[in-house]
Amino acid sequence: MLDAALFDTITKFPIDIQPFKDMIDGMRTDLKKARYKNFDELYMYCYYVAGTVGLMSVPVMGIAPESKATAESVYGAALALGLANQLTNILRDVGEDARRGRIYLPQDELAEAGLSDEDIFKGVVTEKWRKFMKRQIKRARMFFEEAEQGVTELRKESRWPVWASMLLYRQILDEIEANDYNNFTKRAYVGKAKKVLALPVAYGKSLLLPYSLRNNQT
């Protein structure tokens, strides 16, 4: 049934096969790699396991007919959203991943902050850890900001769920901060009330003109 659904989708929409192949390669990476030397390596991992989802989704969601944005810029924003979501997952799940022997944080940046794998496994929140986490959260938010303009260029009926997803994922970063950066033993999650409140906000954002049109009007 799943194959039939996928076949139906790829016959209706111009989806390229490469993101699917890349995603499979990303899943294979988890079988043999549990550390990442630097952000360049982590970036590629995030692309393979999550950025690919953005690239798969754009042809289905569609670019708004009135949009003046280039397809390249919309796909770039979709890629940024996938990367932001995966970075958020990694920051949320530091403790859980460590208990499985995995550390997805850039090793060189840990070392620069005076941290090691052993500090991750101990799971104690220190000033060094807080400073390190602030840097990681800032970068994830940067990718969310990059994605925002692209969301406005999607077809009107596709924008609401994407905006809702983005707003809720960004709130996970807020919750990590609210937990005093303790992502070792506390799992950051967005409560039901906040989820419900995010929906009308996302809907309102989905009604805005594509950024490319607003930019032309100013």
Side-chain angles (χ1 to χ4, degrees):
M1 290 177 66
L2 295 175
D3 288 341
L6 179 59
F7 179 77
D8 180 66
T9 300
I10 63 176
T11 55
K12 290 180 178 177
F13 303 100
I15 301 176
D16 186 72
I17 188 65
Q18 193 59 47
F20 290 88
K21 292 180 177 179
D22 289 345
M23 175 178 274
I24 292 169
D25 286 341
M27 299 303 168
R28 287 174 175 154
T29 299
D30 273 331
L31 298 175
K32 57 187 179 183
K33 191 174 180 70
R35 300 289 188 280
Y36 292 83
K37 294 179 183 177
N38 49 47
F39 184 69
D40 286 343
E41 281 195 3
L42 184 61
Y43 178 98
M44 290 308 301
Y45 172 74
C46 290
Y47 160 72
Y48 280 118
V49 300
T52 50
V53 178
L55 301 185
M56 295 173 194
S57 301
V58 172
V60 178
M61 294 182 174
I63 299 174
E66 67 273 20
S67 172
K68 301 297 183 183
T70 64
E72 182 181 4
S73 69
V74 178
Y75 275 90
L79 174 58
L81 181 54
L83 294 170
N85 285 346
Q86 186 60 28
L87 289 172
T88 300
N89 286 339
I90 288 170
L91 298 180
R92 179 193 61 195
D93 298 337
V94 168
E96 185 178 326
D97 289 331
R99 288 187 283 278
R100 294 187 176 120
R102 298 181 177 279
I103 297 176
Y104 289 95
L105 304 167
Q107 293 285 305
D108 61 342
E109 294 179 19
L110 282 169
E112 287 173 16
L115 298 165
S116 66
D117 289 1
E118 192 59 33
D119 292 309
I120 306 297
F121 293 134
K122 285 180 180 177
V124 177
V125 177
T126 62
E127 280 307 311
K128 287 182 180 179
W129 179 251
R130 292 186 184 95
K131 185 176 179 180
F132 173 80
M133 280 301 302
K134 287 175 183 177
R135 178 182 177 184
Q136 304 304 311
I137 289 173
K138 181 179 179 180
R139 179 159 51 204
R141 285 178 171 149
M142 178 191 72
F143 281 107
F144 277 121
E145 289 169 8
E146 186 179 337
E148 278 195 10
Q149 292 182 11
V151 178
T152 69
E153 308 297 340
L154 297 174
R155 295 184 70 92
K156 193 172 181 179
E157 59 270 25
S158 299
R159 293 176 206 156
W160 188 15
V162 180
W163 270 115
S165 171
M166 184 188 299
L167 291 176
L168 292 173
Y169 251 84
R170 293 179 90 159
Q171 287 183 30
I172 292 174
L173 299 175
D174 298 338
E175 293 301 322
I176 294 173
E177 292 173 332
N179 288 338
D180 193 28
Y181 305 98
N182 181 5
N183 43 6
F184 298 120
T185 59
K186 291 184 178 180
R187 183 178 174 85
Y189 69 95
V190 181
K192 288 183 179 179
K194 289 183 178 180
K195 287 180 180 178
V196 171
L197 289 173
L199 293 178
V201 176
Y203 182 71
K205 288 180 176 291
S206 73
L207 300 178
L208 296 174
L209 282 173
Y211 181 81
S212 58
L213 293 180
R214 283 181 275 149
N215 202 34
N216 288 337
Q217 289 178 355
T218 57

